Each structure stands twice: as structure tokens, then as C-alpha cells.
């Protein structure tokens, strides 16, 4: 893998929601002046870890995902500030069937885990994404409505659920107080629509019963 990775900090909140719940009133979020058209994405991800779960112990997720604008190999680290993600695009010779983590990706997690890695979960997601813009047309946040199907590859347990996710964009609030106020407003709108803050911090955690 010769392509340089990209990095970003994700500041987001996930919500548990019933299958028939209507979308929250997104236009009522602070700073949001317009909502983009629904964008449908079909996502398919395999998650990797060592047999003794060293990545999970380090609050790190390693996955290969197809579909959507950020298809590729991802390493996510959970921190108090948010999730730090490093991503490499997929290459033509990248064959998921080998379950081989590329050397550059393995090097990214070398401080906490070393090969061999194995597939611990597969998560497929029918996603509908909405871009939330400010008055200047810049991205305040992205809201996604996810219908998730997951399989714990260690036990064979399958599960499915619906969740919402709200992630700040470049034009979103920047200081801690404004971020807190933005998500507090989102929480209220989600509650009014019948949702609640997610019990699990990640899809992988929920797929594995954590």
C-alpha cells in the first residue's frame, strides 16, 4: 500500500431508535439553515482484532469497509475529544477474502497489537445521509439514518437494529461549550422523535454484545 493515509477527528453522537420512528426536525438544530437531499449508501465492513482482543482493550477499531465516500481501511481510536480516524483507500489488489491487513495499516496499530489479525465481525449498513448546511452553504454536520445488520464472527450471533448518527462538519461549532449546546439541542430533538442516546458507543461494540 503506497497511498498516504488521511486523518480526521470525528465528533459525533449516536442514537438508538425504533424502526418506525420519524426523523427528528433537523432544521431546528443550531446553525442549520438547509438540509441536503437524502444520499443512499450501502456499506459493508469487516472488523479485525487479535485473538486475545488487544485492539479492543486499547479502544481501537480496525476495519475494511466498502461503499460510501470513505471506503477503505480505517483505524479508529476513541479519546475524550472524539474518535481519531486514519484511513487508507482500497487498492485493486486488496482482496478481502485473504483477511490480510496491509502492512501500513498494521504499522499504525503496532504500539498496541501485532499480526496475526482475524475478522471478528461483519457489519452491513443501509445508510441514508443528510448534509446539514449553514446559511453560507457550508457543512455544519452530517446526519445519517442507519439500518444495521451485524454478525459476530466469533460466535455466529446475528443482530440488527436502527440507529441515527450526528457528526460535526467543518462549519460546526468549535469550542467545547458550543459543541455541548449543539448536541444538547440534538438530544432534545431526538427524544421528541422517539429516540435516545445510544447505549453502546459503537456499532462494533453492539455487534459483539458490549
Amino acid at each position: 500500500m503506497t497511498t498516504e493515509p488521511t486523518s480526521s477527528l470525528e465528533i459525533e453522537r449516536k442514537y438508538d431508535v425504533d424502526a418506525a420512528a420519524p426523523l427528528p426536525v433537523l432544521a431546528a438544530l443550531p446553525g442549520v439553515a438547509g438540509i441536503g437531499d437524502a444520499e443512499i449508501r450501502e456499506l459493508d465492513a469487516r472488523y479485525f482484532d487479535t485473538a486475545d482482543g488487544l485492539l479492543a482493550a486499547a479502544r481501537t477499531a480496525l476495519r475494511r469497509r466498502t461503499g460510501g465516500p470513505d471506503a477503505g481501511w480505517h483505524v479508529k481510536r476513541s479519546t475524550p475529544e472524539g474518535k481519531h480516524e486514519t484511513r487508507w483507500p482500497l487498492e485493486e489488489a486488496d482482496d478481502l477474502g485473504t483477511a490480510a491487513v496491509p502492512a501500513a495499516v498494521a504499522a499504525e496499530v503496532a504500539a498496541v497489537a501485532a499480526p496475526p489479525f482475524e475478522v471478528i465481525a461483519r457489519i452491513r449498513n443501509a445508510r441514508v445521509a443528510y448534509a446539514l448546511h449553514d446559511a453560507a452553504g457550508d457543512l455544519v454536520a452530517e446526519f445519517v439514518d442507519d439500518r444495521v445488520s451485524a454478525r459476530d464472527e466469533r460466535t455466529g450471533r446475528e443482530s440488527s437494529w436502527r440507529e441515527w448518527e450526528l457528526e460535526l462538519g467543518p462549519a460546526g461549532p468549535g469550542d467545547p461549550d458550543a459543541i455541548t449546546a449543539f448536541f444538547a439541542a440534538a438530544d432534545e430533538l431526538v427524544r421528541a422523535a422517539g429516540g435516545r442516546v445510544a447505549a453502546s458507543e459503537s456499532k462494533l461494540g453492539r455487534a459483539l454484545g458490549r
Side-chain angles (χ1 to χ4, degrees):
M1 182 174 290
T2 58
T3 306
E4 289 296 316
T6 58
S7 297
S8 61
L9 174 65
E10 297 179 348
I11 301 176
E12 63 185 17
R13 186 159 296 175
K14 296 181 184 294
Y15 299 96
D16 294 331
V17 61
D18 296 334
L23 294 180
V25 184
L26 300 172
L29 286 169
V32 173
I35 301 171
D37 294 336
E39 180 183 337
I40 297 173
R41 303 170 186 168
E42 295 294 333
L43 311 177
D44 191 348
R46 266 79 165 184
Y47 287 78
F48 296 77
D49 204 340
T50 59
D52 51 357
L54 291 177
L55 291 177
R59 303 192 69 198
T60 298
L62 191 168
R63 74 182 177 200
R64 180 195 187 274
R65 188 167 76 183
T66 59
D70 64 345
W73 287 92
H74 303 163
V75 171
K76 286 193 173 188
R77 297 181 175 88
S78 296
T79 72
E81 295 79 25
K83 292 183 178 179
H84 289 270
E85 179 181 279
T86 305
R87 178 174 66 88
W88 297 258
L90 299 177
E91 297 185 347
E92 290 184 6
D94 185 1
D95 180 8
L96 180 60
T98 67
V101 175
V105 181
E108 183 71 17
V109 299
V112 295
F117 297 105
E118 60 186 44
V119 178
I120 59 169
R122 181 182 185 183
I123 298 179
R124 287 172 286 183
N125 184 9
R127 167 170 289 182
V128 184
Y130 300 87
L132 311 183
H133 300 288
D134 63 14
D138 297 321
L139 184 66
V140 175
E142 182 180 67
F143 178 88
V144 298
D145 183 8
D146 288 341
R147 310 275 179 157
V148 185
S149 299
R151 176 181 172 85
D152 183 336
E153 297 292 355
R154 305 167 308 171
T155 66
R157 186 179 74 93
E158 296 188 354
S159 56
S160 61
W161 66 91
R162 183 187 182 195
E163 72 177 41
W164 294 334
E165 183 179 301
L166 183 65
E167 180 180 339
L168 294 184
D175 69 81
D177 289 343
I179 292 172
T180 297
F182 183 87
F183 282 114
D187 293 351
E188 288 298 323
L189 293 172
V190 168
R191 276 194 288 269
R196 58 257 175 219
V197 175
S200 180
E201 72 172 20
S202 70
K203 290 179 177 66
L204 177 60
R206 183 162 181 173
L208 299 181
R210 300 201 296 257

